[in-house]
Amino acid sequence: VLLIIFKASSAGEVAEPTPAMSDKVKAKAKAAKPAAAVASEEKKEAKSTAKQTLLERREAAKKPKGELTVAERRKRNEEFAKKYQEERLRASFRGAKDWVEKKRPWWETLKDDLDVDQEGEEALPVAPLRAKRSKLESNLAQLTRGQDTRLAGLMNMSLKAKRR
């Protein structure tokens, strides 16, 4: 917290701000001074500019950044809103595709990936091949095996029941 003490004269005017004060406070103190006092102070500053370096002159010429008025805030916010709206509008569209190569269907890229050799043999299989297994032996074993007596009995009973 910065404590600032203004020395008030007997006439009720605000005295010169001290060097320890911030630029913001100095600007407020300047604004509180009568116009004649401000004009005399500016003349003093103009005389002393001959002895200042370029950097010091540039810093002295800068306007102190004070609080914005309601109208300035409104104007600034309108500019921000316009920029933000334009950014969102541009983001909603995609970039130009003039230079982009047309996208090919997936099956055409698959054909290129397979790259059939001149002999007609495929370089890469489309899908892994299943190992062919003969089920002849297992089928013959099931056919040659005799019927189960219990199963045969159940079949006969069910056929008799159906005939009725």
Side-chain angles (χ1 to χ4, degrees):
V1 177
L2 179 64
L3 282 174
I4 301 169
I5 302 171
F6 287 104
K7 295 179 183 176
S9 65
S10 60
E13 295 177 355
V14 177
E16 188 72 26
T18 61
M21 294 180 180
S22 68
D23 292 333
K24 201 179 225 183
V25 175
K26 287 179 186 177
K28 285 184 181 180
K30 251 187 196 179
K33 289 182 184 180
V38 172
S40 66
E41 185 177 305
E42 288 177 0
K43 287 179 185 175
K44 289 179 186 175
E45 287 181 11
K47 290 177 185 176
S48 65
T49 56
K51 297 178 182 178
Q52 292 178 341
T53 64
L54 291 175
L55 180 64
E56 290 170 346
R57 287 183 197 169
R58 184 175 60 183
E59 288 177 0
K62 286 184 184 176
K63 286 186 176 180
K65 290 187 178 181
E67 294 181 17
L68 298 176
T69 64
V70 174
E72 290 171 339
R73 280 194 205 120
R74 185 177 293 127
K75 185 178 179 183
R76 180 192 63 186
N77 290 343
E78 286 174 1
E79 290 173 4
F80 286 155
K82 284 180 185 177
K83 286 180 185 177
Y84 180 68
Q85 184 179 14
E86 185 176 344
E87 286 174 6
R88 290 196 56 200
L89 180 65
R90 289 186 185 277
S92 66
F93 293 104
R94 292 185 179 172
K97 293 190 175 185
D98 298 339
W99 58 272
V100 178
E101 188 177 318
K102 187 176 178 183
K103 202 168 190 180
R104 296 170 52 193
W106 63 270
W107 57 85
E108 288 184 15
T109 56
L110 183 62
K111 285 180 188 176
D112 290 345
D113 290 345
L114 292 176
D115 194 23
V116 177
D117 291 338
Q118 292 176 356
E119 299 171 4
E121 295 180 14
E122 294 180 356
L124 298 172
V126 175
L129 300 175
R130 285 187 269 163
K132 292 186 178 181
R133 294 186 184 144
S134 175
K135 293 189 177 183
L136 179 66
E137 294 174 9
S138 64
N139 290 341
L140 285 174
Q142 286 179 355
L143 289 173
T144 56
R145 190 174 60 194
Q147 284 189 348
D148 189 16
T149 56
R150 286 189 237 161
L151 182 62
L154 284 174
M155 288 293 284
N156 287 333
M157 289 173 62
S158 64
L159 287 173
K160 286 180 187 176
K162 243 185 176 179
R163 288 183 193 156
R164 289 186 198 175

